[in-house]
């Protein structure tokens, strides 16, 4: 069903993400749905907090560079911010 949609902006959440492994989840069902949404979306926005950075789940959703924007909090380490910016992904830091 999802593949029949045309989504302008998809806001994707994640329980685990990092620069090397990208966005992931411990649940196969969530990975399948999120991959389908990403495939049919014009703009992809990852919304996640820094406490989930550096963690990874069993199922890969996508590499970070498949996202257009990542919105996270100001506790994301500067080294991680630099790596993300080098992947040509817009990084929005929200102050807590």
């Amino acid at each position: 069903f999802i593949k029949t949609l045309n989504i302008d902006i998809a806001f994707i959440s994640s329980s685990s993400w990092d620069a090397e492994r990208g966005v992931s989840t411990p649940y196969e069902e969530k990975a399948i749905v999120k991959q389908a949404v990403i495939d049919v979306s014009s703009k992809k926005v990852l919304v996640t907090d820094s406490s989930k950075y550096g963690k990874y789940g069993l199922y890969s959703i996508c590499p970070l560079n498949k996202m257009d924007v990542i919105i996270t909090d100001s506790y994301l380490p500067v080294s991680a911010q630099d790596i993300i910016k080098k992947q040509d992904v817009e990084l929005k830091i929200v102050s807590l």
Side-chain angles (χ1 to χ4, degrees):
F1 169 77
I2 292 172
K3 296 211 182 242
T4 66
L5 301 174
N6 292 308
I7 299 173
D8 289 330
I9 303 172
F11 291 91
I12 306 292
S13 64
S14 181
S15 59
S16 49
W17 63 293
D18 87 0
E20 290 182 29
R21 292 191 170 107
V23 183
S24 60
T25 181
Y27 306 104
E28 182 179 18
E29 305 83 21
K30 286 185 177 184
I32 292 167
V33 170
K34 289 179 182 190
Q35 287 167 345
V37 168
I38 288 166
D39 287 344
V40 299
S41 299
S42 298
K43 187 170 187 174
K44 287 127 326 250
V45 180
L46 177 64
V47 181
T48 186
D49 67 84
S50 64
S51 71
K52 296 169 179 137
Y53 184 80
K55 298 178 181 173
Y56 55 92
L58 182 60
Y59 298 95
S60 177
I61 296 169
C62 69
L64 286 186
N65 65 5
K66 195 153 187 184
M67 292 292 160
D68 297 301
V69 180
I70 296 173
I71 301 172
T72 192
D73 62 79
S74 57
Y75 292 111
L76 185 67
V78 173
S79 59
Q81 293 179 34
D82 292 340
I83 292 169
I84 293 166
K85 290 174 185 175
K86 289 178 184 173
Q87 293 189 28
D88 201 28
V89 176
E90 184 179 354
L91 183 61
K92 299 276 188 179
I93 302 293
V94 179
S95 297
L96 294 179

Coordinates of all heavy atoms in Angstrom, one line a residue:
F1 N 0.8 -1.2 0.0 CA 0.0 0.0 0.0 C 0.9 1.3 0.0 O 0.6 2.2 -0.7 CB -0.9 0.0 1.2 CG -1.6 1.3 1.4 CD1 -2.7 1.7 0.6 CD2 -1.2 2.2 2.4 CE1 -3.3 2.9 0.8 CE2 -1.8 3.4 2.6 CZ -2.9 3.7 1.8
I2 N 1.9 1.3 0.8 CA 2.7 2.5 1.0 C 3.3 2.9 -0.4 O 3.5 4.1 -0.7 CB 3.8 2.3 2.1 CG1 3.1 2.3 3.4 CG2 4.8 3.5 2.0 CD1 4.0 1.9 4.6
K3 N 3.7 1.9 -1.1 CA 4.4 2.2 -2.4 C 3.5 2.9 -3.4 O 3.9 3.4 -4.4 CB 5.0 0.9 -3.0 CG 6.1 0.4 -2.1 CD 7.2 -0.3 -2.8 CE 8.2 -0.8 -1.9 NZ 9.5 -0.3 -2.0
T4 N 2.2 2.9 -3.2 CA 1.2 3.6 -4.1 C 1.1 5.1 -3.7 O 0.4 5.8 -4.4 CB -0.1 2.9 -4.0 OG1 -0.7 3.1 -2.7 CG2 -0.1 1.5 -4.4
L5 N 1.7 5.5 -2.6 CA 1.6 6.9 -2.1 C 2.6 7.8 -2.7 O 3.7 7.3 -3.2 CB 1.7 6.9 -0.6 CG 0.7 6.1 0.2 CD1 1.0 6.1 1.7 CD2 -0.8 6.6 -0.1
N6 N 2.3 9.1 -2.7 CA 3.3 10.1 -3.1 C 3.4 11.0 -1.8 O 2.5 11.9 -1.6 CB 2.9 11.0 -4.3 CG 2.9 10.2 -5.5 OD1 3.9 9.6 -5.9 ND2 1.8 10.1 -6.3
I7 N 4.5 10.9 -1.1 CA 4.6 11.6 0.2 C 5.6 12.8 -0.1 O 6.7 12.6 -0.6 CB 5.2 10.7 1.3 CG1 4.1 9.6 1.5 CG2 5.4 11.5 2.6 CD1 4.6 8.5 2.5
D8 N 5.2 14.0 0.3 CA 6.0 15.2 0.2 C 7.2 15.1 1.2 O 8.3 15.2 0.8 CB 5.2 16.5 0.3 CG 4.3 16.7 -0.8 OD1 4.6 16.3 -2.0 OD2 3.3 17.4 -0.6
I9 N 6.8 15.1 2.5 CA 7.8 15.1 3.5 C 7.5 14.0 4.5 O 6.4 13.9 5.0 CB 7.9 16.4 4.3 CG1 8.1 17.6 3.4 CG2 8.9 16.4 5.4 CD1 8.0 19.0 4.0
A10 N 8.5 13.1 4.7 CA 8.4 12.0 5.7 C 9.2 12.3 6.9 O 10.4 12.6 6.8 CB 8.8 10.7 5.0
F11 N 8.6 12.3 8.0 CA 9.3 12.5 9.3 C 9.5 11.1 9.9 O 8.5 10.4 10.2 CB 8.5 13.4 10.3 CG 8.5 14.8 9.8 CD1 7.5 15.3 9.0 CD2 9.5 15.7 10.2 CE1 7.5 16.6 8.6 CE2 9.5 17.0 9.8 CZ 8.5 17.5 9.0
I12 N 10.8 10.6 9.9 CA 11.1 9.3 10.4 C 11.7 9.4 11.7 O 12.7 10.1 11.9 CB 12.1 8.6 9.4 CG1 11.5 8.7 7.9 CG2 12.4 7.2 9.8 CD1 10.3 7.8 7.7
S13 N 11.3 8.6 12.7 CA 11.9 8.5 14.0 C 12.8 7.2 14.0 O 12.6 6.3 13.1 CB 10.9 8.4 15.1 OG 10.1 7.2 15.0
S14 N 13.7 7.2 15.0 CA 14.5 6.0 15.1 C 15.0 5.8 16.5 O 15.3 6.7 17.2 CB 15.7 6.1 14.2 OG 16.5 5.0 14.3
S15 N 15.1 4.5 16.9 CA 15.6 4.2 18.2 C 17.1 4.0 18.2 O 17.8 3.8 19.2 CB 14.9 2.9 18.7 OG 15.2 1.8 17.8
S16 N 17.7 4.0 17.0 CA 19.1 3.8 16.8 C 19.6 4.3 15.5 O 19.0 4.1 14.5 CB 19.5 2.3 17.0 OG 18.7 1.5 16.1
W17 N 20.8 5.0 15.6 CA 21.4 5.6 14.4 C 22.8 5.9 14.6 O 23.2 6.2 15.8 CB 20.6 6.8 13.9 CG 20.6 8.0 14.9 CD1 20.0 8.0 16.1 CD2 21.2 9.3 14.7 NE1 20.2 9.3 16.7 CE2 20.9 10.1 15.8 CE3 21.9 9.8 13.6 CZ2 21.4 11.4 15.9 CZ3 22.3 11.2 13.8 CH2 22.1 11.9 14.9
D18 N 23.6 5.8 13.6 CA 25.0 6.3 13.7 C 25.6 6.5 12.3 O 24.9 6.2 11.3 CB 25.9 5.4 14.6 CG 26.5 4.2 13.9 OD1 26.3 3.9 12.7 OD2 27.2 3.4 14.6
A19 N 26.7 7.1 12.2 CA 27.3 7.6 11.0 C 27.7 6.4 10.1 O 27.6 6.5 8.9 CB 28.5 8.5 11.2
E20 N 28.1 5.3 10.7 CA 28.6 4.2 9.9 C 27.5 3.2 9.5 O 27.4 2.8 8.3 CB 29.7 3.4 10.6 CG 31.0 4.1 10.8 CD 32.0 3.3 11.5 OE1 32.0 2.1 11.4 OE2 32.9 3.9 12.2
R21 N 26.6 2.9 10.4 CA 25.5 2.0 10.1 C 24.2 2.6 9.7 O 23.3 1.9 9.3 CB 25.3 1.1 11.3 CG 26.5 0.2 11.6 CD 26.2 -0.9 12.6 NE 27.2 -1.9 12.7 CZ 28.1 -1.9 13.7 NH1 28.0 -1.1 14.7 NH2 29.0 -2.9 13.7
G22 N 24.1 3.9 9.8 CA 22.9 4.6 9.4 C 21.8 4.5 10.4 O 22.0 4.3 11.6
V23 N 20.6 4.4 9.8 CA 19.4 4.3 10.7 C 19.0 2.8 10.7 O 19.0 2.2 9.7 CB 18.2 5.1 10.0 CG1 17.0 5.1 10.9 CG2 18.6 6.6 9.8
S24 N 18.7 2.4 12.0 CA 18.3 1.0 12.1 C 17.2 0.8 13.2 O 16.9 1.8 13.9 CB 19.6 0.2 12.5 OG 20.1 0.6 13.7
T25 N 16.8 -0.4 13.3 CA 15.7 -0.8 14.3 C 15.9 -2.2 14.7 O 16.4 -3.0 13.9 CB 14.3 -0.5 13.7 OG1 13.3 -0.8 14.7 CG2 14.1 -1.4 12.5
P26 N 15.4 -2.6 15.9 CA 15.5 -4.0 16.3 C 14.3 -4.8 15.7 O 14.2 -6.0 15.9 CB 15.4 -3.9 17.8 CG 14.8 -2.6 18.1 CD 15.1 -1.7 17.0
Y27 N 13.4 -4.1 15.0 CA 12.2 -4.8 14.5 C 12.1 -4.8 13.0 O 12.1 -3.8 12.4 CB 10.9 -4.1 15.1 CG 11.0 -3.9 16.6 CD1 11.3 -2.7 17.2 CD2 10.7 -5.0 17.4 CE1 11.3 -2.6 18.6 CE2 10.8 -4.9 18.8 CZ 11.1 -3.7 19.4 OH 11.1 -3.6 20.7
E28 N 12.0 -6.0 12.5 CA 11.9 -6.2 11.0 C 10.7 -5.4 10.4 O 10.8 -4.8 9.4 CB 11.8 -7.7 10.7 CG 11.8 -7.9 9.2 CD 11.8 -9.4 8.9 OE1 11.4 -10.2 9.8 OE2 12.1 -9.8 7.7
E29 N 9.6 -5.5 11.1 CA 8.3 -4.9 10.6 C 8.5 -3.4 10.4 O 8.1 -2.8 9.4 CB 7.1 -5.2 11.5 CG 6.9 -6.6 11.8 CD 7.7 -7.2 12.9 OE1 8.3 -6.5 13.7 OE2 7.9 -8.4 12.9
K30 N 9.2 -2.7 11.4 CA 9.4 -1.3 11.3 C 10.3 -0.9 10.2 O 10.2 0.1 9.5 CB 9.9 -0.8 12.7 CG 8.9 -0.7 13.7 CD 9.5 0.0 15.0 CE 8.4 0.1 16.1 NZ 8.9 0.8 17.2
A31 N 11.4 -1.8 10.0 CA 12.3 -1.5 9.0 C 11.6 -1.5 7.6 O 11.9 -0.6 6.8 CB 13.5 -2.5 9.0
I32 N 10.8 -2.5 7.4 CA 10.1 -2.6 6.1 C 9.2 -1.4 5.8 O 9.2 -0.9 4.7 CB 9.3 -3.9 6.0 CG1 10.2 -5.1 6.0 CG2 8.4 -4.0 4.8 CD1 9.6 -6.5 6.3
V33 N 8.5 -1.0 6.8 CA 7.5 0.2 6.6 C 8.3 1.4 6.4 O 8.0 2.2 5.5 CB 6.6 0.3 7.9 CG1 5.8 1.6 7.8 CG2 5.6 -0.9 7.9
K34 N 9.4 1.7 7.2 CA 10.2 2.9 7.1 C 10.9 2.9 5.8 O 11.0 4.0 5.1 CB 11.1 3.0 8.3 CG 10.4 3.4 9.6 CD 11.3 3.5 10.7 CE 10.5 3.8 12.0 NZ 11.2 4.2 13.1
Q35 N 11.4 1.8 5.3 CA 12.1 1.8 4.0 C 11.1 2.1 2.9 O 11.4 2.9 2.0 CB 12.7 0.4 3.7 CG 13.9 0.1 4.5 CD 14.3 -1.4 4.5 OE1 13.5 -2.3 4.1 NE2 15.5 -1.7 5.0
A36 N 9.9 1.6 2.9 CA 8.9 1.9 1.9 C 8.5 3.4 1.9 O 8.4 4.0 0.9 CB 7.6 1.1 2.2
V37 N 8.4 4.0 3.1 CA 8.0 5.4 3.2 C 9.2 6.3 2.7 O 8.9 7.2 1.9 CB 7.7 5.8 4.7 CG1 7.7 7.3 4.9 CG2 6.4 5.2 5.2
I38 N 10.4 5.9 3.0 CA 11.5 6.6 2.5 C 11.6 6.6 0.9 O 11.8 7.6 0.3 CB 12.8 6.1 3.1 CG1 12.9 6.5 4.5 CG2 14.1 6.6 2.3 CD1 14.0 5.8 5.4
D39 N 11.3 5.4 0.4 CA 11.3 5.3 -1.1 C 10.3 6.1 -1.8 O 10.6 6.5 -3.0 CB 11.1 3.8 -1.5 CG 12.3 2.9 -1.1 OD1 13.4 3.5 -0.9 OD2 12.1 1.7 -1.1
V40 N 9.2 6.4 -1.2 CA 8.1 7.2 -1.9 C 8.1 8.7 -1.5 O 7.2 9.4 -1.9 CB 6.8 6.6 -1.8 CG1 6.8 5.2 -2.4 CG2 6.3 6.5 -0.3
S41 N 9.0 9.1 -0.7 CA 9.0 10.5 -0.2 C 10.0 11.4 -0.9 O 11.1 11.0 -1.2 CB 9.4 10.5 1.3 OG 8.5 9.7 2.0
S42 N 9.5 12.6 -1.2 CA 10.4 13.6 -1.8 C 11.4 14.1 -0.9 O 12.6 14.4 -1.3 CB 9.5 14.8 -2.3 OG 8.6 14.3 -3.3
K43 N 11.1 14.3 0.4 CA 12.0 14.8 1.4 C 11.9 13.9 2.6 O 10.8 13.6 3.0 CB 11.7 16.3 1.7 CG 12.7 16.9 2.6 CD 12.5 18.4 2.8 CE 13.6 19.0 3.5 NZ 13.5 20.5 3.6
K44 N 13.1 13.5 3.1 CA 13.2 12.6 4.2 C 13.9 13.3 5.4 O 15.0 13.8 5.3 CB 14.0 11.4 3.9 CG 13.2 10.5 3.0 CD 13.7 10.0 1.7 CE 14.6 10.6 0.7 NZ 14.1 11.0 -0.5
V45 N 13.2 13.3 6.6 CA 13.7 14.0 7.8 C 13.7 13.0 8.9 O 12.7 12.4 9.3 CB 12.7 15.2 8.2 CG1 13.3 15.9 9.4 CG2 12.6 16.1 7.0
L46 N 14.9 12.8 9.4 CA 15.1 11.9 10.6 C 15.0 12.8 11.8 O 15.7 13.8 12.0 CB 16.5 11.3 10.5 CG 16.8 10.4 11.7 CD1 15.9 9.2 11.8 CD2 18.3 9.9 11.7
V47 N 14.1 12.4 12.7 CA 13.9 13.1 14.0 C 14.2 12.1 15.1 O 13.5 11.1 15.3 CB 12.4 13.6 14.1 CG1 12.2 14.4 15.4 CG2 12.0 14.4 12.9
T48 N 15.3 12.4 15.8 CA 15.8 11.5 16.9 C 16.7 12.3 17.8 O 17.3 13.3 17.5 CB 16.6 10.3 16.2 OG1 16.9 9.4 17.2 CG2 17.8 10.8 15.5
D49 N 16.8 11.8 19.0 CA 17.6 12.4 20.0 C 19.0 11.8 20.1 O 19.2 10.7 19.6 CB 17.0 12.5 21.4 CG 16.8 11.1 22.0 OD1 17.8 10.7 22.6 OD2 15.8 10.5 21.9
S50 N 19.9 12.6 20.6 CA 21.3 12.2 20.6 C 21.6 10.9 21.4 O 22.6 10.3 21.2 CB 22.2 13.3 21.1 OG 21.9 13.6 22.5
S51 N 20.8 10.6 22.4 CA 21.0 9.4 23.2 C 20.9 8.1 22.4 O 21.4 7.1 22.8 CB 20.0 9.3 24.4 OG 18.7 9.0 23.9
K52 N 20.3 8.2 21.2 CA 20.2 7.1 20.3 C 21.3 7.0 19.3 O 21.5 6.0 18.6 CB 18.9 7.1 19.6 CG 17.7 7.0 20.6 CD 16.4 7.3 20.0 CE 15.3 7.2 21.1 NZ 14.4 8.2 21.1
Y53 N 22.2 8.0 19.3 CA 23.3 8.0 18.4 C 24.4 7.0 18.8 O 24.7 6.9 20.0 CB 23.9 9.4 18.2 CG 25.0 9.4 17.2 CD1 24.8 9.5 15.9 CD2 26.4 9.3 17.6 CE1 25.8 9.5 14.9 CE2 27.4 9.3 16.7 CZ 27.1 9.4 15.3 OH 28.1 9.3 14.4
G54 N 25.0 6.3 17.9 CA 26.0 5.3 18.2 C 25.5 4.0 18.6 O 26.2 3.0 18.8
K55 N 24.2 3.8 18.5 CA 23.5 2.6 18.8 C 23.0 2.0 17.4 O 22.8 2.8 16.5 CB 22.3 2.7 19.7 CG 22.8 3.2 21.1 CD 21.7 3.4 22.0 CE 22.3 3.9 23.4 NZ 21.3 4.3 24.3
Y56 N 22.8 0.7 17.3 CA 22.3 0.2 16.1 C 21.4 -1.0 16.4 O 21.7 -1.8 17.4 CB 23.4 -0.1 15.1 CG 24.5 -1.0 15.6 CD1 24.4 -2.4 15.5 CD2 25.6 -0.5 16.3 CE1 25.3 -3.3 15.9 CE2 26.6 -1.3 16.8 CZ 26.4 -2.7 16.6 OH 27.4 -3.5 17.1
G57 N 20.4 -1.2 15.6 CA 19.5 -2.3 15.7 C 19.9 -3.4 14.7 O 20.7 -3.2 13.8
L58 N 19.2 -4.5 14.8 CA 19.5 -5.7 13.9 C 19.2 -5.4 12.5 O 19.8 -5.8 11.6 CB 18.7 -6.9 14.4 CG 18.9 -8.2 13.7 CD1 20.4 -8.6 13.7 CD2 18.0 -9.3 14.3
Y59 N 18.1 -4.6 12.2 CA 17.6 -4.3 10.9 C 18.0 -2.9 10.4 O 17.6 -1.9 11.0 CB 16.1 -4.6 10.8 CG 15.8 -6.0 11.1 CD1 15.4 -6.3 12.4 CD2 15.8 -7.0 10.2 CE1 15.1 -7.6 12.7 CE2 15.5 -8.3 10.5 CZ 15.1 -8.6 11.8 OH 14.8 -9.9 12.1
S60 N 18.7 -2.9 9.3 CA 19.1 -1.6 8.7 C 17.9 -1.0 7.9 O 17.2 -1.7 7.2 CB 20.2 -1.8 7.7 OG 20.6 -0.6 7.1
I61 N 17.7 0.3 8.1 CA 16.7 1.0 7.4 C 17.3 1.7 6.2 O 16.9 1.5 5.0 CB 15.9 2.0 8.3 CG1 15.2 1.3 9.4 CG2 15.0 2.9 7.5 CD1 14.7 2.1 10.5
C62 N 18.3 2.5 6.4 CA 19.0 3.2 5.3 C 20.3 3.9 5.9 O 20.4 4.2 7.1 CB 18.1 4.3 4.7 SG 17.7 5.7 5.7
P63 N 21.2 4.2 5.0 CA 22.3 5.0 5.4 C 21.9 6.5 5.7 O 20.9 6.9 5.2 CB 23.3 5.0 4.2 CG 22.4 4.6 3.0 CD 21.2 3.9 3.6
L64 N 22.7 7.2 6.5 CA 22.3 8.5 6.9 C 22.2 9.5 5.6 O 21.4 10.4 5.6 CB 23.3 9.1 7.9 CG 23.2 8.6 9.3 CD1 24.2 9.4 10.2 CD2 21.8 8.7 9.8
N65 N 23.1 9.2 4.6 CA 23.1 10.1 3.5 C 21.8 10.0 2.6 O 21.6 10.7 1.7 CB 24.3 10.0 2.7 CG 24.5 8.6 2.0 OD1 23.6 7.8 2.1 ND2 25.6 8.4 1.4
K66 N 20.9 9.1 3.0 CA 19.7 9.0 2.3 C 18.6 9.9 2.8 O 17.6 10.2 2.2 CB 19.1 7.5 2.3 CG 18.0 7.3 1.4 CD 17.9 5.8 1.0 CE 16.9 5.7 -0.1 NZ 16.7 4.3 -0.5
M67 N 19.0 10.5 4.0 CA 18.1 11.5 4.6 C 18.5 12.9 4.1 O 19.7 13.1 3.8 CB 18.3 11.5 6.2 CG 17.8 10.3 6.9 SD 16.0 10.2 6.8 CE 15.7 8.5 7.1
D68 N 17.5 13.7 4.0 CA 17.8 15.1 3.6 C 18.1 16.0 4.8 O 19.0 16.9 4.7 CB 16.6 15.7 2.9 CG 16.2 14.9 1.6 OD1 17.1 14.9 0.7 OD2 15.1 14.4 1.5
V69 N 17.5 15.7 5.9 CA 17.6 16.5 7.1 C 17.6 15.6 8.3 O 16.9 14.6 8.3 CB 16.5 17.5 7.3 CG1 16.7 18.4 8.6 CG2 16.3 18.4 6.1
I70 N 18.5 15.9 9.3 CA 18.4 15.2 10.6 C 18.2 16.3 11.6 O 18.9 17.3 11.7 CB 19.8 14.5 10.9 CG1 20.0 13.3 9.8 CG2 19.7 13.9 12.3 CD1 21.3 12.7 9.9
I71 N 17.2 16.1 12.4 CA 16.9 17.0 13.6 C 17.2 16.2 14.8 O 16.6 15.1 15.1 CB 15.4 17.4 13.5 CG1 15.1 18.1 12.2 CG2 15.1 18.3 14.7 CD1 13.6 18.4 12.0
T72 N 18.0 16.8 15.7 CA 18.4 16.2 16.9 C 18.8 17.2 17.9 O 18.7 18.4 17.6 CB 19.6 15.1 16.7 OG1 19.7 14.4 17.9 CG2 20.9 15.9 16.4
D73 N 19.1 16.8 19.1 CA 19.4 17.8 20.2 C 20.8 18.2 20.3 O 21.7 17.6 19.7 CB 18.9 17.2 21.5 CG 19.6 16.0 21.9 OD1 20.7 16.1 22.4 OD2 19.0 14.9 21.8
S74 N 21.1 19.2 21.1 CA 22.4 19.8 21.2 C 23.4 18.9 21.9 O 24.6 19.3 22.0 CB 22.3 21.1 21.9 OG 21.7 21.0 23.2
Y75 N 23.0 17.7 22.4 CA 24.0 16.9 23.1 C 24.7 15.9 22.1 O 25.6 15.1 22.6 CB 23.3 16.0 24.2 CG 22.8 16.9 25.4 CD1 21.5 17.1 25.6 CD2 23.8 17.5 26.2 CE1 21.1 17.9 26.7 CE2 23.4 18.3 27.2 CZ 22.0 18.5 27.5 OH 21.6 19.3 28.5
L76 N 24.4 16.0 20.9 CA 25.1 15.2 19.9 C 26.6 15.7 19.8 O 26.8 16.9 19.7 CB 24.5 15.4 18.5 CG 25.1 14.5 17.4 CD1 24.8 13.0 17.7 CD2 24.5 14.9 16.0
P77 N 27.5 14.8 20.0 CA 28.9 15.2 20.0 C 29.3 15.9 18.8 O 28.9 15.6 17.7 CB 29.7 13.9 20.1 CG 28.7 12.9 20.7 CD 27.4 13.3 20.2
V78 N 30.2 16.9 18.9 CA 30.7 17.7 17.8 C 31.3 16.8 16.7 O 31.1 17.0 15.5 CB 31.7 18.8 18.2 CG1 32.3 19.5 17.1 CG2 31.0 19.8 19.2
S79 N 32.0 15.8 17.1 CA 32.7 14.8 16.2 C 31.6 14.2 15.3 O 31.8 14.0 14.1 CB 33.5 13.8 16.9 OG 32.7 13.0 17.8
A80 N 30.5 13.8 15.9 CA 29.4 13.2 15.1 C 28.7 14.2 14.2 O 28.4 13.9 13.0 CB 28.3 12.6 16.1
Q81 N 28.6 15.4 14.7 CA 28.0 16.5 13.8 C 28.9 16.7 12.6 O 28.4 16.8 11.5 CB 28.0 17.8 14.6 CG 26.9 17.8 15.7 CD 26.9 19.1 16.5 OE1 27.1 20.2 15.9 NE2 26.6 19.0 17.8
D82 N 30.2 16.7 12.8 CA 31.1 16.9 11.6 C 31.0 15.7 10.6 O 31.0 16.0 9.4 CB 32.6 17.0 12.1 CG 32.8 18.3 12.9 OD1 32.1 19.2 12.8 OD2 33.8 18.3 13.7
I83 N 30.9 14.5 11.1 CA 30.8 13.4 10.2 C 29.5 13.5 9.4 O 29.5 13.2 8.2 CB 30.8 12.0 11.0 CG1 32.2 11.8 11.6 CG2 30.4 10.9 10.2 CD1 32.3 10.7 12.6
I84 N 28.4 13.8 10.1 CA 27.1 13.9 9.4 C 27.1 15.0 8.3 O 26.7 14.8 7.2 CB 26.0 14.2 10.4 CG1 25.8 12.9 11.3 CG2 24.7 14.6 9.7 CD1 25.0 13.2 12.6
K85 N 27.7 16.2 8.7 CA 27.8 17.3 7.7 C 28.6 16.9 6.5 O 28.3 17.3 5.3 CB 28.4 18.5 8.3 CG 27.4 19.1 9.4 CD 28.1 20.3 10.1 CE 27.1 20.8 11.2 NZ 27.8 21.8 12.0
K86 N 29.6 16.0 6.6 CA 30.4 15.6 5.5 C 29.6 14.6 4.6 O 30.0 14.4 3.4 CB 31.7 14.9 6.0 CG 32.7 15.9 6.6 CD 33.9 15.1 7.1 CE 34.9 16.1 7.8 NZ 36.0 15.4 8.4
Q87 N 28.5 14.1 5.1 CA 27.7 13.2 4.3 C 26.7 13.9 3.5 O 25.7 13.4 2.9 CB 27.0 12.1 5.2 CG 28.0 11.2 5.8 CD 27.4 10.0 6.5 OE1 26.3 9.6 6.1 NE2 28.1 9.5 7.5
D88 N 26.8 15.3 3.4 CA 25.9 16.1 2.7 C 24.4 16.0 3.2 O 23.5 15.9 2.4 CB 26.0 15.8 1.2 CG 25.4 16.9 0.3 OD1 25.5 18.1 0.8 OD2 24.9 16.7 -0.8
V89 N 24.3 15.9 4.5 CA 22.9 15.9 5.1 C 22.8 17.2 5.9 O 23.7 17.5 6.7 CB 22.8 14.6 6.0 CG1 21.5 14.6 6.7 CG2 23.0 13.4 5.2
E90 N 21.7 17.8 5.8 CA 21.5 19.0 6.6 C 21.2 18.6 8.0 O 20.4 17.8 8.3 CB 20.2 19.8 6.1 CG 20.0 21.1 6.8 CD 18.8 21.8 6.2 OE1 18.2 21.4 5.2 OE2 18.4 22.9 6.8
L91 N 21.9 19.2 9.0 CA 21.8 18.9 10.4 C 21.2 20.1 11.1 O 21.7 21.2 11.1 CB 23.2 18.5 11.0 CG 23.2 18.1 12.4 CD1 22.4 16.8 12.6 CD2 24.7 17.9 12.8
K92 N 20.1 19.8 11.8 CA 19.4 20.8 12.6 C 19.5 20.5 14.1 O 19.1 19.4 14.5 CB 17.9 20.9 12.2 CG 17.6 21.3 10.8 CD 17.6 22.8 10.6 CE 17.1 23.1 9.2 NZ 17.1 24.5 9.0
I93 N 20.2 21.3 14.8 CA 20.4 21.0 16.2 C 19.4 21.9 17.0 O 19.3 23.1 16.9 CB 21.9 21.4 16.7 CG1 22.9 20.6 15.8 CG2 22.0 21.2 18.2 CD1 22.9 19.1 16.1
V94 N 18.7 21.2 17.9 CA 17.7 21.9 18.7 C 18.2 21.9 20.1 O 18.6 20.9 20.7 CB 16.3 21.1 18.7 CG1 15.3 21.7 19.6 CG2 15.8 20.9 17.3
S95 N 18.2 23.1 20.7 CA 18.7 23.3 22.1 C 17.6 22.8 23.1 O 16.4 22.9 22.9 CB 18.9 24.8 22.4 OG 19.9 25.3 21.6
L96 N 18.1 22.2 24.1 CA 17.2 21.6 25.2 C 17.2 22.6 26.4 O 18.1 23.2 26.7 CB 17.7 20.2 25.6 CG 17.6 19.2 24.5 CD1 18.1 17.8 25.1 CD2 16.1 19.0 24.1

